[in-house]
Structures are given as structure tokens and as C-alpha cells.
Amino acid sequence: MKKWENVAFGSSIFIVLTFLPLYLDIFGISFWLKSVCIIAVLFGVLFIVSKIKFLQKQVTKKVGWLTLIALFIIITVLSEFILK
């Protein structure tokens, strides 16, 4: 990874795909509408992340991967507590 932006992209995609489908199921939205909503939210989040200046800074691959893996673990643990 060359920028913090890539770490933010990966974590944003993981967060949206982890939490959004569960909340859309509460409303009883159909599969196709749920898919369109997820794609629209992903594009919106990725657009916003790409505009943040702080995330344009360079980072080494090792630090980027370790940060991304740590975020995946933290989000997975938090989702288990939130969803139960």
C-alpha cells in the first residue's frame, strides 16, 4: 500500500459490507434494492475518503497491512458485540 487512503478504502468497504446489509434486512428491503443501496453507499464513502487530505500521506506496506488487519479484527469483535 502506498497511501493511508488505501487502508481507509479497505476498512470502509469492510465496515459497509459488515453492517449495512444487516440494517437493510430490518427494513425488509429486497435483495436487488439492497445491492443497489450497498453499491451506492460504497461509492459515496470511497468518494469522501478520497477527498480527505490526511489520507494522501505515504505509508510503508508493512504498516499499512498491519493497520488494516488490526482494523478488521477490531471491527469484527465490535460487530459481534453490537449484533448480539
Side-chain angles (χ1 to χ4, degrees):
M1 295 189 178
K2 294 185 176 185
K3 297 179 184 178
W4 281 110
E5 180 180 13
N6 296 336
V7 176
F9 279 169
S11 60
S12 299
I13 291 170
F14 187 71
I15 290 170
V16 168
L17 292 178
T18 301
F19 292 110
L20 191 60
L22 300 171
Y23 290 115
L24 293 177
D25 283 340
I26 293 172
F27 297 117
I29 295 177
S30 70
F31 173 76
W32 297 109
L33 186 57
K34 188 186 325 180
S35 301
V36 170
C37 289
I38 289 171
I39 290 171
V41 169
L42 276 176
F43 278 124
V45 168
L46 295 181
F47 177 76
I48 291 170
V49 166
S50 69
K51 298 299 178 188
I52 299 174
K53 295 289 183 193
F54 171 76
L55 298 176
Q56 301 300 322
K57 294 183 180 180
Q58 298 293 321
V59 66
T60 63
K61 285 186 178 184
K62 186 176 182 179
V63 172
W65 278 110
L66 289 174
T67 305
L68 190 61
I69 291 169
L71 283 171
F72 284 173
I73 292 170
I74 291 169
I75 293 166
T76 303
V77 170
L78 286 176
S79 70
E80 290 296 322
F81 286 119
I82 290 173
L83 300 176
K84 292 195 177 204

Coordinates of all heavy atoms in Angstrom, one line a residue:
M1 N 0.8 -1.2 0.0 CA 0.0 0.0 0.0 C 0.9 1.2 0.0 O 1.9 1.3 0.7 CB -0.9 0.0 1.2 CG -1.9 -1.1 1.2 SD -3.1 -0.9 2.5 CE -4.0 -2.3 2.2
K2 N 0.5 2.2 -0.7 CA 1.3 3.4 -0.8 C 0.8 4.6 0.0 O 1.5 5.5 0.3 CB 1.4 3.8 -2.3 CG 2.2 2.8 -3.1 CD 2.4 3.4 -4.5 CE 3.2 2.4 -5.3 NZ 3.5 2.9 -6.6
K3 N -0.5 4.6 0.2 CA -1.1 5.7 0.9 C -2.1 5.2 2.0 O -2.5 4.1 2.0 CB -1.9 6.6 0.0 CG -1.1 7.3 -1.1 CD -2.0 8.1 -2.0 CE -1.2 8.7 -3.1 NZ -2.1 9.4 -4.0
W4 N -2.3 6.1 3.0 CA -3.3 5.8 4.0 C -4.7 5.6 3.4 O -5.6 5.0 4.0 CB -3.3 6.9 5.1 CG -2.2 6.7 6.1 CD1 -1.1 7.5 6.2 CD2 -2.0 5.7 7.1 NE1 -0.3 7.1 7.2 CE2 -0.8 6.0 7.8 CE3 -2.8 4.6 7.4 CZ2 -0.4 5.2 8.8 CZ3 -2.3 3.8 8.5 CH2 -1.1 4.1 9.1
E5 N -4.8 6.3 2.3 CA -6.1 6.2 1.6 C -6.5 4.8 1.2 O -7.7 4.4 1.4 CB -6.0 7.0 0.3 CG -7.3 7.1 -0.5 CD -7.1 7.9 -1.8 OE1 -5.9 8.2 -2.2 OE2 -8.1 8.2 -2.4
N6 N -5.5 4.0 0.9 CA -5.8 2.5 0.6 C -6.2 1.8 1.8 O -7.1 0.9 1.7 CB -4.6 1.9 -0.1 CG -4.2 2.5 -1.4 OD1 -5.0 3.1 -2.0 ND2 -2.9 2.4 -1.7
V7 N -5.7 2.1 2.9 CA -6.1 1.5 4.2 C -7.5 1.9 4.5 O -8.3 1.1 4.9 CB -5.1 1.8 5.3 CG1 -5.6 1.3 6.7 CG2 -3.7 1.4 5.1
A8 N -7.8 3.2 4.3 CA -9.2 3.7 4.6 C -10.2 3.0 3.6 O -11.3 2.7 4.0 CB -9.2 5.2 4.5
F9 N -9.8 2.8 2.3 CA -10.7 2.2 1.4 C -11.0 0.8 1.8 O -12.2 0.4 1.8 CB -10.0 2.1 0.0 CG -10.1 3.3 -0.8 CD1 -9.3 3.4 -2.0 CD2 -10.9 4.4 -0.5 CE1 -9.3 4.5 -2.8 CE2 -10.9 5.5 -1.3 CZ -10.1 5.6 -2.4
G10 N -10.0 0.0 2.2 CA -10.2 -1.4 2.7 C -11.1 -1.5 3.9 O -12.0 -2.3 4.0
S11 N -10.8 -0.6 4.9 CA -11.6 -0.6 6.1 C -13.1 -0.1 5.8 O -14.0 -0.6 6.4 CB -11.0 0.2 7.2 OG -10.8 1.5 6.8
S12 N -13.2 0.9 5.0 CA -14.6 1.4 4.6 C -15.4 0.3 4.0 O -16.6 0.1 4.3 CB -14.5 2.6 3.7 OG -13.8 3.6 4.3
I13 N -14.8 -0.4 3.0 CA -15.5 -1.5 2.3 C -15.9 -2.6 3.3 O -17.1 -3.1 3.3 CB -14.7 -2.1 1.2 CG1 -14.5 -1.0 0.1 CG2 -15.3 -3.4 0.7 CD1 -13.5 -1.4 -1.0
F14 N -15.0 -2.9 4.2 CA -15.3 -4.0 5.2 C -16.4 -3.5 6.2 O -17.3 -4.3 6.5 CB -14.0 -4.3 6.0 CG -14.2 -5.4 6.9 CD1 -14.3 -6.7 6.5 CD2 -14.2 -5.3 8.3 CE1 -14.4 -7.8 7.3 CE2 -14.3 -6.3 9.2 CZ -14.5 -7.6 8.7
I15 N -16.4 -2.3 6.6 CA -17.4 -1.8 7.5 C -18.8 -1.8 6.8 O -19.8 -2.2 7.4 CB -17.1 -0.4 8.0 CG1 -15.9 -0.5 9.0 CG2 -18.2 0.3 8.7 CD1 -15.3 0.9 9.3
V16 N -18.8 -1.3 5.6 CA -20.1 -1.2 4.9 C -20.7 -2.6 4.6 O -21.9 -2.8 4.9 CB -20.0 -0.4 3.5 CG1 -21.2 -0.6 2.7 CG2 -19.7 1.1 3.8
L17 N -19.8 -3.5 4.2 CA -20.3 -4.9 3.9 C -20.7 -5.6 5.2 O -21.4 -6.6 5.1 CB -19.3 -5.6 3.1 CG -19.1 -5.1 1.7 CD1 -18.0 -5.9 1.0 CD2 -20.4 -5.1 0.9
T18 N -20.1 -5.2 6.3 CA -20.4 -5.9 7.6 C -21.7 -5.4 8.2 O -22.6 -6.2 8.6 CB -19.3 -5.7 8.6 OG1 -18.1 -6.2 8.0 CG2 -19.6 -6.4 9.9
F19 N -22.0 -4.1 8.2 CA -23.1 -3.6 8.9 C -24.3 -3.2 8.1 O -25.4 -3.4 8.5 CB -22.7 -2.3 9.7 CG -21.7 -2.7 10.8 CD1 -20.4 -2.3 10.8 CD2 -22.1 -3.4 12.0 CE1 -19.5 -2.6 11.8 CE2 -21.3 -3.6 13.0 CZ -19.9 -3.3 12.9
L20 N -24.1 -2.7 6.9 CA -25.2 -2.2 6.1 C -26.3 -3.3 5.7 O -27.5 -3.1 5.9 CB -24.7 -1.5 4.9 CG -25.8 -0.7 4.1 CD1 -26.4 0.4 5.0 CD2 -25.2 -0.1 2.9
P21 N -25.8 -4.5 5.3 CA -26.9 -5.5 4.9 C -27.8 -5.9 6.1 O -28.9 -6.1 6.0 CB -26.1 -6.7 4.5 CG -24.8 -6.1 4.0 CD -24.5 -5.0 4.9
L22 N -27.2 -5.9 7.3 CA -28.0 -6.3 8.5 C -29.0 -5.2 8.8 O -30.2 -5.5 9.2 CB -27.0 -6.5 9.7 CG -26.0 -7.6 9.5 CD1 -25.0 -7.5 10.6 CD2 -26.7 -8.9 9.4
Y23 N -28.7 -3.9 8.6 CA -29.6 -2.9 8.9 C -30.7 -2.8 7.8 O -31.8 -2.5 8.0 CB -28.9 -1.5 9.1 CG -28.2 -1.5 10.4 CD1 -26.8 -1.4 10.4 CD2 -28.8 -1.6 11.6 CE1 -26.1 -1.3 11.6 CE2 -28.1 -1.6 12.8 CZ -26.8 -1.4 12.8 OH -26.1 -1.4 13.9
L24 N -30.3 -3.1 6.6 CA -31.3 -3.1 5.5 C -32.3 -4.3 5.6 O -33.4 -4.2 5.2 CB -30.6 -3.2 4.1 CG -29.8 -1.9 3.8 CD1 -29.1 -2.1 2.4 CD2 -30.7 -0.7 3.7
D25 N -31.8 -5.4 6.2 CA -32.7 -6.5 6.5 C -33.8 -6.1 7.5 O -34.9 -6.7 7.4 CB -31.9 -7.7 7.0 CG -31.2 -8.5 6.0 OD1 -31.5 -8.3 4.8 OD2 -30.2 -9.2 6.3
I26 N -33.5 -5.3 8.4 CA -34.5 -4.8 9.3 C -35.7 -4.2 8.6 O -36.9 -4.3 9.0 CB -33.9 -3.8 10.4 CG1 -32.9 -4.6 11.2 CG2 -35.0 -3.2 11.2 CD1 -32.1 -3.7 12.1
F27 N -35.4 -3.4 7.5 CA -36.5 -2.7 6.8 C -37.2 -3.6 5.8 O -38.2 -3.2 5.2 CB -35.9 -1.5 6.1 CG -35.3 -0.5 7.0 CD1 -34.0 -0.1 6.9 CD2 -36.2 0.2 7.9 CE1 -33.5 0.8 7.8 CE2 -35.6 1.2 8.7 CZ -34.3 1.5 8.7
G28 N -36.7 -4.8 5.6 CA -37.3 -5.8 4.7 C -37.1 -5.4 3.2 O -38.0 -5.7 2.4
I29 N -36.0 -4.9 2.9 CA -35.7 -4.5 1.5 C -35.3 -5.7 0.7 O -34.6 -6.6 1.2 CB -34.6 -3.4 1.5 CG1 -35.0 -2.2 2.2 CG2 -34.1 -3.1 0.1 CD1 -34.0 -1.1 2.3
S30 N -35.7 -5.7 -0.5 CA -35.5 -6.9 -1.4 C -34.0 -7.0 -1.7 O -33.2 -6.0 -1.5 CB -36.2 -6.7 -2.7 OG -35.7 -5.7 -3.5
F31 N -33.6 -8.1 -2.2 CA -32.1 -8.4 -2.5 C -31.6 -7.4 -3.5 O -30.5 -6.8 -3.3 CB -32.0 -9.8 -3.0 CG -30.6 -10.1 -3.5 CD1 -29.6 -10.3 -2.6 CD2 -30.3 -10.1 -4.9 CE1 -28.3 -10.6 -3.0 CE2 -29.0 -10.4 -5.3 CZ -28.0 -10.6 -4.4
W32 N -32.3 -7.1 -4.6 CA -31.8 -6.2 -5.6 C -31.7 -4.8 -5.1 O -30.7 -4.1 -5.4 CB -32.7 -6.3 -6.8 CG -32.6 -7.6 -7.4 CD1 -33.6 -8.6 -7.4 CD2 -31.5 -8.3 -8.0 NE1 -33.2 -9.7 -8.0 CE2 -31.9 -9.6 -8.4 CE3 -30.2 -7.9 -8.3 CZ2 -31.0 -10.5 -9.0 CZ3 -29.3 -8.8 -8.9 CH2 -29.8 -10.1 -9.3
L33 N -32.7 -4.3 -4.4 CA -32.6 -2.9 -3.8 C -31.5 -2.8 -2.8 O -30.8 -1.8 -2.7 CB -34.0 -2.6 -3.3 CG -34.1 -1.1 -2.8 CD1 -33.8 -0.1 -3.9 CD2 -35.5 -0.9 -2.3
K34 N -31.3 -3.9 -2.0 CA -30.3 -3.9 -1.0 C -28.9 -3.8 -1.7 O -28.0 -3.1 -1.3 CB -30.3 -5.2 -0.2 CG -29.4 -5.2 1.0 CD -29.3 -6.5 1.7 CE -30.6 -7.3 1.8 NZ -30.5 -8.5 2.6
S35 N -28.7 -4.5 -2.8 CA -27.5 -4.5 -3.6 C -27.2 -3.1 -4.1 O -26.1 -2.6 -4.1 CB -27.5 -5.5 -4.7 OG -27.7 -6.8 -4.3
V36 N -28.2 -2.5 -4.7 CA -28.1 -1.1 -5.2 C -27.7 -0.1 -4.1 O -26.9 0.7 -4.3 CB -29.4 -0.7 -5.9 CG1 -29.3 0.8 -6.3 CG2 -29.6 -1.5 -7.2
C37 N -28.4 -0.3 -2.9 CA -28.1 0.6 -1.8 C -26.6 0.4 -1.3 O -25.9 1.4 -1.0 CB -29.0 0.3 -0.6 SG -30.7 0.9 -0.9
I38 N -26.2 -0.8 -1.3 CA -24.8 -1.1 -0.8 C -23.8 -0.5 -1.8 O -22.8 0.1 -1.4 CB -24.6 -2.6 -0.6 CG1 -25.4 -3.1 0.6 CG2 -23.1 -2.9 -0.5 CD1 -25.4 -4.6 0.8
I39 N -24.0 -0.7 -3.1 CA -23.1 -0.1 -4.1 C -23.1 1.4 -4.0 O -22.0 2.0 -4.1 CB -23.5 -0.6 -5.5 CG1 -23.2 -2.1 -5.6 CG2 -22.8 0.1 -6.6 CD1 -23.7 -2.8 -6.9
A40 N -24.3 2.0 -3.9 CA -24.3 3.5 -3.8 C -23.6 4.0 -2.6 O -22.9 5.0 -2.6 CB -25.8 3.9 -3.8
V41 N -23.8 3.3 -1.4 CA -23.1 3.8 -0.2 C -21.6 3.6 -0.3 O -20.8 4.4 0.1 CB -23.7 3.0 1.0 CG1 -22.8 3.2 2.2 CG2 -25.1 3.4 1.3
L42 N -21.2 2.5 -0.9 CA -19.7 2.2 -1.1 C -19.1 3.3 -2.0 O -18.1 3.8 -1.7 CB -19.5 0.9 -1.8 CG -19.5 -0.3 -0.8 CD1 -19.3 -1.6 -1.6 CD2 -18.3 -0.2 0.2
F43 N -19.8 3.7 -3.1 CA -19.2 4.7 -4.0 C -19.2 6.1 -3.2 O -18.2 6.8 -3.4 CB -20.0 4.9 -5.3 CG -19.6 3.9 -6.3 CD1 -20.6 3.0 -6.9 CD2 -18.3 3.8 -6.8 CE1 -20.3 2.1 -7.8 CE2 -18.0 2.9 -7.7 CZ -18.9 2.0 -8.3
G44 N -20.2 6.4 -2.4 CA -20.2 7.6 -1.7 C -19.1 7.7 -0.6 O -18.4 8.7 -0.5
V45 N -18.9 6.6 0.1 CA -17.9 6.5 1.1 C -16.5 6.6 0.5 O -15.6 7.3 1.0 CB -18.1 5.2 2.0 CG1 -16.8 5.0 2.9 CG2 -19.3 5.3 2.8
L46 N -16.3 5.9 -0.6 CA -15.0 5.9 -1.2 C -14.7 7.3 -1.8 O -13.5 7.7 -1.8 CB -14.9 4.8 -2.3 CG -14.9 3.4 -1.8 CD1 -14.8 2.4 -2.9 CD2 -13.9 3.1 -0.7
F47 N -15.7 8.0 -2.3 CA -15.5 9.3 -2.8 C -15.1 10.3 -1.7 O -14.2 11.1 -1.8 CB -16.8 9.8 -3.5 CG -16.7 11.2 -4.0 CD1 -16.0 11.5 -5.1 CD2 -17.3 12.3 -3.3 CE1 -15.9 12.8 -5.6 CE2 -17.2 13.6 -3.7 CZ -16.5 13.9 -4.9
I48 N -15.8 10.1 -0.6 CA -15.5 11.0 0.6 C -14.1 10.7 1.1 O -13.3 11.6 1.4 CB -16.6 10.8 1.7 CG1 -17.9 11.4 1.2 CG2 -16.1 11.5 3.0 CD1 -19.1 11.1 2.1
V49 N -13.7 9.4 1.2 CA -12.4 9.1 1.7 C -11.3 9.6 0.8 O -10.3 10.1 1.2 CB -12.3 7.5 1.8 CG1 -10.9 7.1 2.0 CG2 -13.1 7.1 3.0
S50 N -11.6 9.6 -0.5 CA -10.5 10.1 -1.5 C -10.3 11.6 -1.4 O -9.3 12.1 -1.8 CB -10.9 9.7 -2.9 OG -12.1 10.4 -3.3
K51 N -11.2 12.3 -0.8 CA -11.1 13.8 -0.7 C -10.4 14.2 0.6 O -10.1 15.4 0.8 CB -12.5 14.4 -0.8 CG -13.2 14.2 -2.1 CD -12.4 14.8 -3.2 CE -13.1 14.5 -4.6 NZ -12.2 14.8 -5.7
I52 N -10.2 13.3 1.5 CA -9.6 13.7 2.8 C -8.1 13.8 2.6 O -7.4 12.9 2.2 CB -9.9 12.6 3.9 CG1 -11.4 12.6 4.1 CG2 -9.2 13.0 5.2 CD1 -11.8 11.5 5.0
K53 N -7.5 15.0 2.9 CA -6.1 15.3 2.6 C -5.2 14.5 3.5 O -4.1 14.1 3.1 CB -5.8 16.8 2.9 CG -6.6 17.7 1.9 CD -6.0 17.6 0.5 CE -6.7 18.6 -0.4 NZ -6.4 18.3 -1.8
F54 N -5.5 14.2 4.8 CA -4.7 13.5 5.7 C -4.3 12.1 5.1 O -3.3 11.6 5.3 CB -5.3 13.4 7.0 CG -4.6 12.4 8.0 CD1 -3.4 12.8 8.6 CD2 -5.0 11.2 8.2 CE1 -2.7 12.0 9.4 CE2 -4.4 10.3 9.0 CZ -3.2 10.7 9.7
L55 N -5.3 11.5 4.4 CA -5.1 10.1 3.9 C -4.3 10.0 2.7 O -4.0 9.0 2.2 CB -6.5 9.5 3.7 CG -7.4 9.4 4.9 CD1 -8.8 8.8 4.5 CD2 -6.8 8.5 5.9
Q56 N -3.8 11.2 2.2 CA -2.9 11.2 1.0 C -1.5 11.0 1.4 O -0.6 10.9 0.5 CB -3.1 12.5 0.2 CG -4.5 12.8 -0.2 CD -5.1 11.8 -1.1 OE1 -4.4 11.2 -2.0 NE2 -6.3 11.4 -1.0
K57 N -1.2 10.9 2.6 CA 0.2 10.7 3.1 C 0.7 9.3 2.8 O -0.1 8.3 2.8 CB 0.4 11.0 4.6 CG 0.1 12.5 4.9 CD 0.3 12.7 6.4 CE 0.0 14.2 6.7 NZ 0.2 14.5 8.1
Q58 N 2.0 9.2 2.6 CA 2.6 7.9 2.2 C 2.8 7.0 3.5 O 2.9 7.5 4.6 CB 4.0 8.1 1.6 CG 3.9 8.8 0.3 CD 3.3 8.0 -0.8 OE1 3.4 6.8 -0.9 NE2 2.5 8.7 -1.6
V59 N 2.7 5.7 3.3 CA 2.9 4.8 4.4 C 3.5 3.5 3.8 O 3.4 3.2 2.6 CB 1.5 4.4 5.1 CG1 0.6 3.7 4.1 CG2 1.7 3.6 6.3
T60 N 4.4 2.9 4.6 CA 5.0 1.6 4.1 C 4.0 0.5 4.0 O 2.9 0.5 4.7 CB 6.1 1.2 5.1 OG1 5.6 0.9 6.4 CG2 7.2 2.3 5.2
K61 N 4.3 -0.5 3.2 CA 3.3 -1.6 3.1 C 3.1 -2.4 4.4 O 2.0 -2.8 4.7 CB 3.9 -2.6 2.0 CG 3.7 -2.1 0.6 CD 4.2 -3.1 -0.4 CE 4.0 -2.6 -1.8 NZ 4.3 -3.7 -2.8
K62 N 4.2 -2.5 5.1 CA 4.1 -3.3 6.4 C 3.1 -2.6 7.4 O 2.3 -3.2 7.9 CB 5.5 -3.5 7.0 CG 5.5 -4.4 8.2 CD 6.9 -4.6 8.7 CE 7.0 -5.5 9.9 NZ 8.4 -5.7 10.3
V63 N 3.3 -1.3 7.5 CA 2.5 -0.6 8.5 C 1.0 -0.5 8.0 O 0.1 -0.7 8.7 CB 3.0 0.8 8.7 CG1 2.0 1.7 9.5 CG2 4.4 0.8 9.4
G64 N 0.9 -0.4 6.7 CA -0.5 -0.3 6.1 C -1.2 -1.6 6.3 O -2.4 -1.7 6.7
W65 N -0.6 -2.8 6.0 CA -1.2 -4.1 6.2 C -1.5 -4.4 7.6 O -2.6 -4.9 8.0 CB -0.3 -5.2 5.6 CG -0.5 -5.3 4.1 CD1 0.4 -5.0 3.1 CD2 -1.7 -5.8 3.4 NE1 -0.2 -5.2 1.9 CE2 -1.4 -5.7 2.0 CE3 -2.9 -6.2 3.8 CZ2 -2.4 -6.1 1.1 CZ3 -3.9 -6.6 2.9 CH2 -3.6 -6.5 1.5
L66 N -0.6 -4.0 8.5 CA -0.8 -4.3 10.0 C -2.0 -3.5 10.5 O -2.8 -3.9 11.3 CB 0.5 -4.0 10.8 CG 1.6 -5.0 10.6 CD1 2.9 -4.5 11.3 CD2 1.2 -6.4 11.1
T67 N -2.0 -2.2 10.0 CA -3.2 -1.4 10.4 C -4.5 -1.9 9.9 O -5.5 -2.0 10.6 CB -3.0 0.1 9.9 OG1 -1.7 0.6 10.4 CG2 -4.1 1.0 10.4
L68 N -4.5 -2.3 8.6 CA -5.7 -2.9 8.0 C -6.2 -4.2 8.7 O -7.3 -4.3 9.0 CB -5.5 -3.1 6.5 CG -6.7 -3.5 5.7 CD1 -7.7 -2.3 5.8 CD2 -6.3 -3.7 4.3
I69 N -5.2 -5.0 9.0 CA -5.6 -6.3 9.7 C -6.1 -6.0 11.1 O -7.1 -6.6 11.6 CB -4.4 -7.2 9.8 CG1 -4.1 -7.7 8.3 CG2 -4.6 -8.4 10.7 CD1 -2.8 -8.5 8.2
A70 N -5.4 -5.0 11.8 CA -5.9 -4.7 13.2 C -7.3 -4.1 13.1 O -8.2 -4.4 14.0 CB -4.9 -3.7 13.8
L71 N -7.6 -3.3 12.1 CA -8.9 -2.7 12.0 C -10.0 -3.8 11.7 O -11.1 -3.8 12.2 CB -9.0 -1.7 10.9 CG -8.4 -0.3 11.2 CD1 -8.3 0.6 10.0 CD2 -9.2 0.4 12.2
F72 N -9.6 -4.8 10.8 CA -10.5 -5.9 10.6 C -10.9 -6.6 11.8 O -12.0 -7.0 12.1 CB -9.9 -6.8 9.6 CG -9.9 -6.4 8.1 CD1 -9.3 -7.1 7.2 CD2 -10.6 -5.2 7.8 CE1 -9.3 -6.7 5.8 CE2 -10.6 -4.8 6.5 CZ -9.9 -5.5 5.5
I73 N -9.9 -6.9 12.7 CA -10.1 -7.6 13.9 C -11.0 -6.8 14.9 O -11.9 -7.4 15.4 CB -8.7 -8.0 14.6 CG1 -8.0 -9.0 13.7 CG2 -8.9 -8.5 16.0 CD1 -6.6 -9.3 14.1
I74 N -10.7 -5.6 15.0 CA -11.4 -4.7 15.9 C -12.9 -4.6 15.5 O -13.8 -4.7 16.2 CB -10.8 -3.3 16.0 CG1 -9.5 -3.4 16.8 CG2 -11.7 -2.3 16.7 CD1 -8.6 -2.2 16.7
I75 N -13.1 -4.4 14.2 CA -14.5 -4.3 13.6 C -15.2 -5.6 13.8 O -16.4 -5.6 14.1 CB -14.4 -3.8 12.2 CG1 -13.9 -2.4 12.1 CG2 -15.8 -3.9 11.5 CD1 -13.5 -2.0 10.7
T76 N -14.6 -6.7 13.6 CA -15.2 -8.0 13.7 C -15.6 -8.2 15.1 O -16.8 -8.7 15.4 CB -14.3 -9.1 13.2 OG1 -13.9 -8.9 11.9 CG2 -15.0 -10.5 13.3
V77 N -14.8 -7.9 16.1 CA -15.1 -8.1 17.5 C -16.3 -7.1 17.9 O -17.2 -7.5 18.6 CB -13.9 -7.8 18.4 CG1 -14.2 -7.7 19.9 CG2 -12.8 -8.9 18.2
L78 N -16.2 -5.9 17.4 CA -17.3 -4.9 17.8 C -18.6 -5.4 17.1 O -19.6 -5.2 17.8 CB -16.9 -3.5 17.3 CG -15.9 -2.8 18.1 CD1 -15.5 -1.5 17.4 CD2 -16.3 -2.6 19.5
S79 N -18.5 -5.9 15.9 CA -19.8 -6.3 15.3 C -20.4 -7.5 16.1 O -21.7 -7.6 16.1 CB -19.6 -6.7 13.8 OG -18.8 -7.9 13.7
E80 N -19.6 -8.4 16.7 CA -20.2 -9.5 17.5 C -20.9 -8.9 18.7 O -21.9 -9.4 19.1 CB -19.1 -10.4 17.9 CG -18.5 -11.2 16.7 CD -19.6 -12.1 16.1 OE1 -20.4 -12.7 16.9 OE2 -19.6 -12.3 14.9
F81 N -20.3 -7.9 19.3 CA -21.0 -7.3 20.5 C -22.2 -6.5 20.1 O -23.2 -6.5 20.8 CB -20.0 -6.4 21.3 CG -19.0 -7.2 22.0 CD1 -17.7 -7.0 21.8 CD2 -19.4 -8.1 23.0 CE1 -16.7 -7.7 22.5 CE2 -18.5 -8.8 23.7 CZ -17.1 -8.6 23.5
I82 N -22.2 -5.8 19.0 CA -23.3 -4.9 18.6 C -24.5 -5.8 18.1 O -25.6 -5.5 18.4 CB -22.8 -4.0 17.5 CG1 -21.9 -2.9 18.1 CG2 -24.0 -3.3 16.8 CD1 -21.2 -2.0 17.0
L83 N -24.2 -6.8 17.4 CA -25.2 -7.6 16.7 C -25.9 -8.6 17.7 O -26.9 -9.2 17.4 CB -24.7 -8.3 15.5 CG -24.1 -7.4 14.4 CD1 -23.5 -8.3 13.3 CD2 -25.2 -6.5 13.9
K84 N -25.3 -8.8 18.9 CA -25.9 -9.8 19.8 C -26.7 -9.1 20.9 O -26.8 -8.0 21.2 CB -24.9 -10.7 20.4 CG -24.3 -11.6 19.3 CD -23.5 -12.7 19.9 CE -23.1 -13.6 18.8 NZ -22.8 -14.9 19.1

